[in-house]
Amino acid sequence: MPLHRRIYQFLIIYFLGLSGLMLIKYSVGLSDYVIPGPADVWETWGTVWRRYMRDVVNTLLVAMVGQVISVFLAGLVGIFGRRATWLGNFIKVAAYNVQAYPIVALAPILFILLGDGIFTRLLIAAMICYFPVLLSVIGIMSEPVTEIEHFYRVTGRLRWQLEVKIRAFENLTKLTTVIAGSATLAFAGTIVAEFIAANAGIGYSIRIALYQSDLSKILVALFLIGIVLSIYQGLLEVLGRVVQRTWAGT
Amino acid sequence: MELRCSELSFTYPGTTIELFDRLSFTMGQPGFHALIGPSGVGKTSLARMITGDITGFSGVLETDGMQGLLYSYNLERLPGWSGVGKHLEKITPPGKHSLRDDLIEVFGIRSVTRARFSQLSLGQQNRVNLIRSLLQDFHLLIMDESLANVDEMTRETILLKIKDLFPDTFFLYISYNVIEVSKFCAGILVFRGPGKSPQAVTVPGQDYRIGRTLDKDRLEGTMLEVMNAAA
């Protein structure tokens, strides 16, 4: 999906949601304390957007590092897990089972053990992102591309590096989509970590806004999260297309 | 070297229909041999049994003294990350570079060596696939519709060239073209429809090659024999 369309879509959804809130506010007659009016939201925007933008960027950086770690690890484990060997089957079954567990529930344990610093946020972001990416990578890597691999197999040329290269090349669009999609997971993981116990990031700011029951601040934070994430995902897709075009020479 | 099949029976796992029921034939001399017959009679399955890709059959299937059994089919693809010429260069064993250049010329793909495989026509793709198989060390090459989508004149040029370059090698040519197999093959294993006994019969072909005259009456006779055997 092109970058601008991704941003348009977010803006449409965001403002539809905001209009819905306003509709509820004015139809039920809720006070500004429960749902602030448009003027309040606008005023809050002017006050906090710079600080919140810094927080979102902070969260994004943690999410990006977490995503890179998880994609790299998932690639590595996926390559080992692609084979129909004992180890490969073990990795596949383990990945399916662990993925079924809500990893985010482990976050409090990590905060107790590791404290509320950046490392814990990073770890939670990577963990939440890791298993879905791993499942996709294993799925892609364990599916033979017979019509290409056949020749290399019968002539004894199919080494694991070539096998992985063929499968990655043939599934580049899928891999790009999975990686772009995992950005949301990494971002969500980081925000959840910040909600629970961190001392920085947009999740931390939202937690403070929540204690103050300040919906305006939360709405500003949600807007910035959506815009930044849309741009990041769009850029990942553009990068994927560039890699694809360069590799395929089209 | 000979290819011998005796009392071969096979049923695909999970099915009840017997694909082969005591199939027997012998191909005693190297050269071009054909497998011909209607779709679904087991030509490709037999080819994959010969190369060892399908096991679990009963009977004897001997590839006496043959080293390197290759199976090439018309749906094969080259990886898309570099040009056709580069790929052919990479898979050419040492000492076969002049053979590669010769084949590229005769097969008529010189003009597309810089292109990616996906940019070629189906006929060009099949020719590229065949070239890379011919460049390998083998005693038996199974060509499963390897020249599909190639025009008749180019096909003839290619078949004559292969026969000229590899006189002591076994080729098993899977095709639906009765004229072609009757003309170029030394032996034609004709698969008959389901339920017929024997399941396949061997018809001698005209084995046309460079320097040999083709007797059109005898070619017509071979074609009739193939048609009758299949009926």
Side-chain angles (χ1 to χ4, degrees):
Chain A
M1 191 192 300
L3 182 58
H4 64 278
R5 197 179 298 166
R6 195 177 270 282
I7 294 169
Y8 289 156
Q9 278 184 3
F10 166 70
L11 289 177
I12 290 168
I13 291 167
Y14 180 83
F15 283 108
L16 274 177
L18 201 59
S19 308
L21 271 181
M22 293 306 146
L23 196 70
I24 294 169
K25 174 184 167 66
Y26 292 113
S27 58
V28 183
L30 294 174
S31 72
D32 284 354
Y33 181 73
V34 182
I35 298 177
D40 275 351
V41 176
W42 181 247
E43 197 185 317
T44 308
W45 162 266
T47 322
V48 299
W49 80 269
R50 282 189 187 81
R51 184 160 54 85
Y52 275 18
M53 191 64 190
R54 277 196 298 275
D55 289 340
V56 172
V57 171
N58 181 306
T59 302
L60 177 69
L61 289 176
V62 175
M64 279 167 71
V65 177
Q67 191 192 6
V68 168
I69 293 170
S70 63
V71 168
F72 178 75
L73 269 177
L76 211 66
V77 177
I79 287 167
F80 281 111
R82 78 191 191 285
R83 304 232 103 154
T85 56
W86 179 87
L87 180 67
N89 289 331
F90 176 77
I91 289 172
K92 267 178 238 167
V93 172
Y96 277 111
N97 288 329
V98 177
Q99 202 261 344
Y101 189 81
I103 297 292
V104 73
L106 299 177
I109 299 176
L110 294 174
F111 279 112
I112 290 169
L113 295 176
L114 304 168
D116 59 1
I118 190 167
F119 183 70
T120 315
R121 289 157 70 202
L122 195 64
L123 193 62
I124 293 168
M127 277 170 66
I128 287 180
C129 186
Y130 173 71
F131 288 101
V133 177
L134 176 64
L135 282 187
S136 302
V137 173
I138 287 180
I140 286 167
M141 286 300 160
S142 50
E143 195 64 51
V145 187
T146 317
E147 64 274 22
I148 295 181
E149 292 173 17
H150 169 80
F151 172 80
Y152 295 102
R153 185 166 287 120
V154 295
T155 55
R157 287 186 173 88
L158 192 66
R159 285 186 293 180
W160 72 266
Q161 296 95 326
L162 181 61
E163 189 177 271
V164 168
K165 192 176 174 183
I166 290 171
R167 292 177 190 183
F169 182 83
E170 289 295 311
N171 292 287
L172 210 51
T173 314
K174 267 190 216 167
L175 282 172
T176 305
T177 310
V178 166
I179 290 170
S182 73
T184 311
L185 293 174
F187 212 89
T190 314
I191 290 176
V192 167
E194 290 162 358
F195 276 161
I196 297 171
N199 52 13
I202 193 66
Y204 174 64
S205 297
I206 292 176
R207 181 154 51 108
I208 292 168
L210 184 67
Y211 292 155
Q212 297 167 344
S213 293
D214 192 339
L215 189 58
S216 298
K217 283 183 178 172
I218 295 173
L219 290 172
V220 171
L222 291 182
F223 179 78
L224 291 172
I225 289 170
I227 287 287
V228 168
L229 189 58
S230 299
I231 293 171
Y232 178 50
Q233 281 187 321
L235 289 177
L236 281 177
E237 281 178 355
V238 169
L239 187 70
R241 277 198 292 275
V242 170
V243 170
Q244 214 166 348
R245 244 180 264 147
T246 314
W247 204 5
T250 51
Chain B
M1 283 193 297
E2 74 167 18
L3 177 62
R4 195 171 70 84
C5 172
S6 172
E7 300 282 308
L8 182 82
S9 296
F10 178 69
T11 303
Y12 269 109
T15 63
T16 49
I17 302 161
E18 201 164 36
L19 187 63
F20 298 129
D21 179 20
R22 287 171 287 132
L23 175 72
S24 299
F25 66 88
T26 303
M27 292 177 184
Q29 295 293 319
F32 252 72
H33 300 269
L35 298 183
I36 194 167
S39 287
V41 288
K43 300 184 293 293
T44 298
S45 298
L46 177 64
R48 294 180 62 210
M49 284 176 189
I50 294 168
T51 53
D53 291 327
I54 294 179
T55 52
F57 52 83
S58 64
V60 179
L61 190 52
E62 281 180 348
T63 51
D64 176 40
M66 292 189 207
Q67 302 292 318
L69 311 172
L70 290 185
Y71 172 66
S72 168
Y73 62 107
N74 67 344
L75 294 176
E76 282 184 273
R77 288 193 288 131
L78 264 66
W81 58 73
S82 63
V84 166
K86 263 196 174 168
H87 272 295
L88 290 177
E89 213 174 291
K90 261 195 158 176
I91 55 91
T92 305
K96 291 197 174 180
H97 294 86
S98 60
L99 173 65
R100 182 192 64 215
D101 292 342
D102 196 13
L103 291 173
I104 286 175
E105 205 60 54
V106 174
F107 281 43
I109 59 148
R110 171 74 63 205
S111 59
V112 293
T113 48
R114 281 172 181 273
R116 305 287 164 127
F117 189 75
S118 58
Q119 295 166 329
L120 307 187
S121 72
L122 288 175
Q124 288 168 332
Q125 291 182 346
N126 288 337
R127 280 178 274 169
V128 170
N129 276 324
L130 187 54
I131 288 178
R132 66 175 182 165
S133 292
L134 289 169
L135 288 170
Q136 310 310 309
D137 295 320
F138 63 92
H139 281 159
L140 167 71
L141 173 61
I142 299 168
M143 296 162 57
D144 194 347
E145 294 187 61
S146 295
L147 291 174
N149 303 100
V150 178
D151 66 274
E152 217 165 299
M153 269 181 62
T154 311
R155 269 207 320 252
E156 173 154 344
T157 311
I158 289 171
L159 288 172
L160 288 173
K161 184 70 181 180
I162 294 174
K163 292 181 81 168
D164 190 39
L165 286 171
F166 304 92
D168 303 319
T169 310
F170 260 99
F171 287 91
L172 213 49
Y173 188 44
I174 301 178
S175 170
Y176 290 102
N177 191 325
V178 179
I179 306 173
E180 196 172 67
V181 299
S182 303
K183 185 174 174 181
F184 294 103
C185 296
I188 305 153
L189 185 68
V190 185
F191 280 88
R192 308 173 77 207
K196 289 186 177 161
S197 183
Q199 209 170 1
V201 290
T202 305
V203 173
Q206 291 307 303
D207 199 15
Y208 177 60
R209 59 183 68 202
I210 295 169
R212 193 179 279 185
T213 322
L214 181 70
D215 184 329
K216 288 196 174 165
D217 291 336
R218 291 180 68 179
L219 174 63
E220 274 177 24
T222 303
M223 284 161 54
L224 272 173
E225 251 187 281
V226 170
M227 298 301 285
N228 285 333

